[in-house]
Amino acid sequence: MARKSSGTDQLVSAREVLKTAKTAAELRAAQAVLFPLELGISIERTAKVIGRSVRWTCSQRTRYGRIARGEEKAPRTKRELRNRAIATLEQEAQILSEILVGSAQGRVVVVPPLKEKIEERLDKPVALSTIYRMLARHGWRKLAPDTAHPQGKARCAKIGKN
């Protein structure tokens, strides 16, 4: 006879995670806790239902309990890692808002002078590609003017027509 599943103290938090899960991993972790406790099914059956191995299901239940008790930190998302970041996201937003004041009124943003200003604020050299990625992270996009006037002479196709 199998022993009863433990972890009733984690039911409330697991139900909340089940409702607000944004990734499949979060959903499966909550299911690994809830199914044996609420439905009374075995770990083997739970593993089959959520599509993982019995070992993964057991370790996920144990890990979920450690996180709930505060013994272990919850896994961070890829965006939270930012291992080689030159500044936090808040600092980047503040720097860009201070430097790009004129661009809100429709002025053109030129990146090389912007690079120099950001380097002054951070007191360290920054690659040009880093500036482009920073702008993209904060919702800026590259727009370039068209090379010909819309009412001008029609462009010739590359097939060879003149």
Side-chain angles (χ1 to χ4, degrees):
M1 182 169 169
R3 62 186 171 102
K4 288 285 256 179
S5 298
S6 61
T8 53
D9 53 330
Q10 300 149 14
L11 274 174
V12 175
S13 67
R15 284 187 197 121
E16 286 300 315
V17 169
L18 194 62
K19 291 177 188 175
T20 61
K22 292 182 178 153
T23 63
E26 290 175 356
L27 182 65
R28 286 189 182 116
Q31 289 172 338
V33 172
L34 284 175
F35 287 172
L37 295 173
E38 286 197 333
L39 303 177
I41 60 177
S42 67
I43 297 293
E44 292 81 13
R45 183 86 175 125
T46 300
K48 191 170 190 169
V49 168
I50 63 177
R52 295 290 183 212
S53 68
V54 174
R55 180 179 177 189
W56 183 91
T57 305
C58 288
S59 65
Q60 199 63 24
R61 286 175 50 81
T62 305
R63 185 174 189 202
Y64 194 90
R66 279 191 251 130
I67 291 170
R69 288 188 299 272
E71 298 171 4
E72 186 177 323
K73 291 182 180 177
R76 296 186 298 175
T77 62
K78 198 85 158 154
R79 186 169 173 91
E80 292 171 334
L81 288 175
R82 294 180 42 86
N83 294 330
R84 297 182 181 169
I86 57 171
T88 65
L89 292 173
E90 294 79 23
Q91 289 172 334
E92 284 181 1
Q94 180 184 4
I95 290 170
L96 289 176
S97 66
E98 292 171 2
I99 292 174
L100 300 174
V101 174
S103 61
Q105 294 137 1
R107 293 197 185 128
V108 176
V109 176
V110 182
V111 175
L114 181 68
K115 177 184 180 286
E116 294 170 4
K117 292 177 183 176
I118 291 174
E119 286 177 343
E120 287 174 18
R121 296 284 169 97
L122 295 173
D123 293 328
K124 61 173 96 172
V126 178
L128 197 60
S129 62
T130 304
I131 304 300
Y132 280 108
R133 286 195 320 267
M134 182 188 300
L135 288 168
R137 252 192 312 274
H138 294 281
W140 290 84
R141 57 195 175 112
K142 183 177 179 180
L143 295 176
D146 199 0
T147 57
H149 193 278
Q151 294 176 350
K153 185 178 173 186
R155 290 188 215 151
C156 301
K158 291 185 178 181
I159 301 172
K161 295 179 183 177
N162 290 334

